[in-house]
Amino acid sequence: MSRRDFVAAAATAAAASQLPIGAVTNQAPANGTVVLFQGDSITDAGRNRASTDANSAGALGSGYPLLVASAVLAARPGGALRFYNRGVSGNKVPDLQQRWTTDTIDLKPDVLSILIGVNDFWHKLDHGYNGTVQDYEQQYSALLDATREVLPHVHLIVLEPFVLRTGAVDARWFPEFDQRRAAAARVAARARATFVPLQTVFNQQTRATPPEYWAADGVHPTPAGHAVIAEQWRRAAHL
């Protein structure tokens, strides 16, 4: 994909991202607004999978879901918000598909945040996976289409998959990883989801600070990196 095509896809997704969720959170259902984080190890962040309680520090892990939930719950103690983390380390889009009913649909989220895509490429390098960019886009779109059918009013937040050029991330990742980022932008636009351009954000951060400060291995965020994601998430979600 050309840079022009990527920019066009990102612009379309950005337009879709202007859908605020304030109306959802200001009119919480009787049992509380449910915010669900889905994804791979970046979202998982070492969470305690044995705990299924909402707003539990252990169940939210040590990454951006915990930072988001902590800040929002402190700022809105009367909001009846319930935060869950169902990220699973190593997951790709096909893995999400296999566990989607139990880990997403059954929770009936009002706000559903997804960060997926790094492993869909990384596992091609060292795990024998052979999924293409087209597979990623089609499977991701199908997943969100199916979600919309069951949860028509859910507010979707698609976080752009990102990497920093350090650690495990070398020349082998490009240009295909950039093509997958563009695919995520198109998926978000088609699903009428809020799109959070994390790669652009981290590229800006690395102009003044070494990339390993934000993600030591180029993939998994440091505490500072998770704080950046949490800030961008809250801005996008208007929370």
Side-chain angles (χ1 to χ4, degrees):
M1 166 163 289
S2 69
R3 182 178 183 277
R4 178 179 297 178
D5 290 339
F6 173 74
V7 170
T12 302
S17 73
Q18 299 307 308
L19 301 172
I21 65 173
V24 174
T25 55
N26 287 333
Q27 298 178 1
N31 61 346
T33 293
V34 173
V35 180
L36 172 62
F37 297 96
Q38 271 289 7
D40 52 35
S41 57
I42 299 172
T43 301
D44 183 326
R47 69 181 177 89
N48 178 6
R49 298 181 195 173
S51 175
T52 59
D53 295 337
N55 303 339
S56 165
L60 287 168
S62 61
Y64 74 91
L66 176 64
L67 298 180
V68 168
S70 299
V72 175
L73 290 169
R76 302 180 64 174
L81 289 158
R82 291 188 291 154
F83 288 89
Y84 294 93
N85 182 357
R86 291 294 185 271
V88 174
S89 180
N91 267 195
K92 303 179 290 296
V93 172
D95 301 307
L96 293 186
Q97 291 175 317
Q98 292 183 11
R99 61 184 183 83
W100 204 243
T101 298
T102 300
D103 283 356
T104 300
I105 302 302
D106 288 353
L107 287 172
K108 297 180 174 61
D110 300 289
V111 181
L112 171 58
S113 170
I114 311 171
L115 173 54
I116 198 76
V118 166
N119 293 319
D120 295 75
F121 174 78
W122 201 358
H123 286 188
K124 293 182 67 174
L125 298 180
D126 55 12
H127 284 68
Y129 182 62
N130 59 6
T132 65
V133 175
Q134 291 72 27
D135 292 333
Y136 171 70
E137 183 169 356
Q138 292 169 3
Q139 293 165 353
Y140 204 169
S141 286
L143 187 68
L144 297 191
D145 287 345
T147 303
R148 282 280 186 210
E149 290 181 7
V150 181
L151 303 170
H153 302 298
V154 67
H155 184 89
L156 296 172
I157 299 177
V158 171
L159 301 177
E160 180 184 29
F162 66 93
V163 293
L164 304 183
R165 293 183 186 242
T166 189
V169 180
D170 53 29
R172 297 174 298 167
W173 287 68
F174 307 98
E176 185 171 334
F177 188 76
D178 289 334
Q179 295 167 355
R180 290 174 183 271
R181 293 195 298 109
R186 292 191 296 269
V187 168
R190 282 194 291 267
R192 305 186 309 282
T194 296
F195 182 71
V196 184
L198 292 178
Q199 188 70 65
T200 299
V201 172
F202 278 110
N203 287 347
Q204 292 172 345
Q205 296 289 349
T206 57
R207 290 175 184 172
T209 310
E212 57 268 25
Y213 181 81
W214 308 105
D217 64 356
V219 173
H220 298 96
T222 60
H226 276 291
V228 168
I229 299 173
E231 179 183 6
Q232 295 301 317
W233 194 98
R234 291 192 65 193
R235 288 181 180 179
H238 304 286
L239 280 178

